[in-house]
Amino acid sequence: VHVNKKPKLSTKEELQTLSKDELIERFLTLQAHNNQLKNILQKNLGESSPDVHAGKRRKFNFESCNKRHVLLKFLYYGWDYQGYASQEHSIATIEYHLFNALQRTCLIESRQTSNYHRCGRTDKEVSAFCQVISIDVRSKFKPEMQDDEESLKNELDYCTMINRVLPRNIRCISWMPLKSPVYSARFDCIKRTYRYFFPKGELNIEAMKEACKFLIGPHDFRNLCKMDVCNGVTNFGRTIDSAGIFPCRSSTNEESDYSMFYFEIIGKAFLWHQVRSIMAVMLLIGEGKEEPQIIADLMNVEENPCKPQYNLAAGFPLNLYECEFRKYTIQKSNEPVTEPISEEEVMESDEVHTSEWIYSQENLETIISNLQQDWTNLNVKVTMIKENTLDLQKAYEKNFGIGNFRRQADVLSQGVRAKVYQKLLMRKRCESLENRLGHYVKKQRL
């Protein structure tokens, strides 16, 4: 029997006894092993292999290129990624792959010089059907010709170019030419729609719908988010335009325990983990453990200044579903706005800064075809699991009587389930916002 023993680490004293040649040999061995591990990591994370001919190619001359400011719309499935934003110690992020594709296709020279803004920042496992970025990209035409109809028809096929080098589960859907060089996907977005998908199971859908009504309007969401005070977030007031529970189009029988629903919430801006925190409480309401009124109670920060301890809902069902943008930018420069321009000031200009989204027929056909293939692969597996589950339920009922097998949504509530449920308002509380602010003020970080 072969036993993989943990290698013994060398001590400083042992290394000092080795000769120079022995140290060199050990160094070369470790270097080769390190390179091998890097190659394995790159393969597992989906990074493209380095181009062996890259060093022989002539450097692309960006100074001679024309540029144009555009919006690019992407969809991605975040299940295999560590989040949207780039991370220092991981290449398993959406943003890493986007910039890798943009630079490989020579559409941009670097992130630093690309005038880049993102509409939303999704967390680990979270997907997006409508992630939008604003960026300066290479153009075939001079600035004075870029808005001509003929130029738009014959412009570089940005989406197809990018998709050729993106991972399969990240796709560029369309692009939009912009007439203002400072239009921002972040600051000029006026509405963001999130959807959280879940199975009905034993959830009380009507109670969840009732709870959604409390969310609409301006509220303080400090108890329904993760407070990011260390990064300067001190205002937790947000306005929700709409919130509701709806059946998915794929659900033919809404009464079935396996029917799919989604929680939809619409607003201009959201706090860190706000939607997942709200959904965590929604699931408790659906299970009958909390009343719909708990949403209003948690937003009443005078009565409840400290957040009760509870776990977030799982991240993988969450989706940045749609984004809506204003026609006129409120940006005066590429720097973040501190005082938004008033609508009256914006309307003084007759120029519209946005235009229509431009789609490529071939690109869209390819994306739809690929998504249908993904649907088939996943739905066949889902159907097999469901059929097997139903057969086992029949066997259980035949031998032991009717059991409770309506727990399809349990997996969405993270953490260990207590045998005896404790109401949210009776639980141990987190530190108050005021205490956290005081802590960071003392450390001179605010």
Side-chain angles (χ1 to χ4, degrees), residues 33-44:
H33 184 60
N34 188 45
N35 288 334
Q36 184 183 23
L37 291 175
K38 282 183 178 180
N39 291 333
I40 293 172
L41 183 63
Q42 289 174 354
K43 183 178 179 181
N44 289 341

Side-chain angles (χ1 to χ4, degrees), residues 212 215-217 239-244 246 263-267 270:
C212 288
L215 292 167
I216 300 171
T239 299
I240 301 302
D241 299 325
S242 172
F246 306 95
F263 165 61
E264 181 180 84
I265 186 167
I266 303 174
F270 291 86

Side-chain angles (χ1 to χ4, degrees), residues 258 381-395:
Y258 289 91
K381 295 174 183 177
V382 167
T383 303
M384 291 171 66
I385 292 172
K386 182 179 177 181
E387 291 297 312
N388 194 12
T389 302
L390 294 175
D391 288 341
L392 291 174
Q393 282 182 224
K394 287 182 180 179

Side-chain angles (χ1 to χ4, degrees), residues 55 71 76 87 92 121 127 150 161 176 183 185 199 227 236 240 247 253 340 367 401 403 406 422 432:
L71 293 180
Y76 55 82
Q87 298 176 22
R121 175 175 174 168
S127 301
E150 198 63 28
M161 291 173 66
M176 178 192 292
Y183 195 96
M227 288 195 286
F236 296 90
I240 301 302
N253 179 12
I367 293 174
R406 305 181 63 202
Q422 187 177 32
S432 70

Side-chain angles (χ1 to χ4, degrees), residues 122-136:
T122 54
D123 292 316
K124 180 181 178 181
E125 295 187 328
V126 178
S127 301
F129 288 176
C130 184
Q131 176 67 274
V132 178
I133 67 172
S134 54
I135 196 166
D136 292 343

Side-chain angles (χ1 to χ4, degrees), residues 292-348:
Q293 176 66 30
I294 189 63
I295 294 290
D297 293 338
L298 290 173
M299 293 188 298
N300 184 350
V301 295
E302 292 182 359
E303 293 290 331
N304 296 292
C306 299
K307 176 184 176 181
Q309 293 184 356
Y310 60 88
N311 293 311
L312 292 172
F316 68 89
L318 182 57
N319 191 298
L320 176 57
Y321 193 78
E322 193 173 356
C323 300
E324 186 178 327
F325 296 88
R326 58 169 55 89
K327 294 181 179 179
Y328 301 85
T329 182
I330 62 168
Q331 293 282 96
K332 291 182 178 179
S333 69
N334 286 326
E335 297 300 320
V337 289
T338 53
E339 291 294 331
I341 302 172
S342 66
E343 288 295 327
E344 292 77 12
E345 188 178 352
V346 171
M347 291 297 290
E348 288 179 2

Side-chain angles (χ1 to χ4, degrees), residues 350-365:
D350 294 329
E351 184 181 8
V352 176
H353 297 148
T354 58
S355 55
E356 296 296 322
W357 288 103
I358 296 176
Y359 293 86
S360 160
Q361 181 179 354
E362 183 179 355
N363 180 60
L364 212 53
E365 287 175 351

Side-chain angles (χ1 to χ4, degrees), residues 11-77:
T11 64
K12 183 178 179 180
E13 290 74 17
E14 289 174 339
L15 291 174
Q16 287 175 337
T17 63
L18 299 177
S19 67
K20 182 179 179 181
D21 290 339
E22 289 173 328
L23 287 171
I24 292 173
E25 182 65 28
R26 182 167 294 195
F27 171 80
L28 293 174
T29 301
L30 290 172
Q31 189 179 52
H33 184 60
N34 188 45
N35 288 334
Q36 184 183 23
L37 291 175
K38 282 183 178 180
N39 291 333
I40 293 172
L41 183 63
Q42 289 174 354
K43 183 178 179 181
N44 289 341
L45 294 177
E47 184 185 41
S48 302
S49 300
D51 190 344
V52 294
H53 302 294
K56 300 179 182 179
R57 290 178 181 168
R58 185 176 62 182
K59 187 176 180 180
F60 195 89
N61 185 9
F62 284 95
E63 292 182 1
S64 64
C65 293
N66 297 304
K67 293 182 180 180
R68 73 184 311 154
H69 194 51
V70 301
L71 293 180
L72 294 175
K73 184 189 294 186
F74 294 88
L75 72 80
Y76 55 82
Y77 296 99

